[in-house]
Amino acid sequence: MIAEKLKEVKENIEGAKAKRSPDKQHEVRLIAVTKNHDVQAMREAIDAGVTDIGENRIQEAKEKFATLDRDVTWHLIGHLQTNKAKQAVKIFDLIHSVDTLHLAEAINNAAAGINKVQKVLVQVNLAKEDSKSGVYVEELADLLHKVDELPNLQLMGLMCIAPNYDDVEECRPLFAKMYEIFQKVKEITFSTANILYLSMGMTHDYEIAVEEGANMVRVGTGIFGPRQY
Ligand SMILES: *Cc1c(COP(=O)(O)O)cnc(C)c1O
């Protein structure tokens, strides 16, 4: 079941990649979002070829991290509270949700405490939704430079979550704009940052995100089915 759905998602990604303009020929990394699914489902997905998993809550991730007997790359895709930074750096290879200097500093300090350089993305709130985290684009460059200066962080790119439009096509201009911003950010001279990733697209909109230039997509429902809360 999971293996079949995973195959379908991968085929959809290939289909979307084929529709891209010639300037967008990069690989796309699929993050299987396992929040609210158990460790058995995670094993099944990993055994079917998943290499990257995404979680959004520290407590849940911590329990799964202790139980999961598989080698996999861990992504924190949800909002992080500064008081959980210490636990987050122990688990996650890439934290997608840095959106304030305060949070960046907390992660930096936590990472320093375990002699780690924590890879992070900065989350952008492009549509300026009150309900969502993320830095506004006007403040993005400033935050990126400050994150770049923190010795125990390595900035790897940008992340965004599109609004939940009735018509998913409405996401397209937003994703296109994010890609444009991503290209501009790549041209900035940083000291340690290595701008490689543009994380955007979830189950309902990942194909559009890929068509517009995402190189990391975060798919949960499309692989595991609906979540039971
Ligand atoms: C839950 C979540 C996803 C995956 O959502 P699906 O619609 O199940 O694919 C992706 N990104 C973030 C930030 C999430 O919280």
Side-chain angles (χ1 to χ4, degrees), residues 33 35 56 77-78 159 161 201-204 218-222 227:
V33 176
K35 65 185 187 201
N56 73 336
I77 58 172
M159 180 269 220
I161 304 173
M202 308 167 40
T203 295
H204 69 289
R218 312 175 305 264
V219 180
T221 312
R227 288 179 286 273

Side-chain angles (χ1 to χ4, degrees), residues 31-35 37 54-56 76-79 96-97 123 159-161 199 201-206 217-227 229:
I31 300 171
V33 176
T34 49
K35 65 185 187 201
H37 293 286
E55 288 282 338
N56 73 336
L76 179 62
I77 58 172
H79 179 69
H96 291 224
S97 48
Q123 181 175 352
M159 180 269 220
C160 82
I161 304 173
S199 165
M202 308 167 40
T203 295
H204 69 289
D205 59 14
Y206 69 91
V217 293
R218 312 175 305 264
V219 180
T221 312
I223 298 170
F224 299 100
R227 288 179 286 273
Y229 287 99

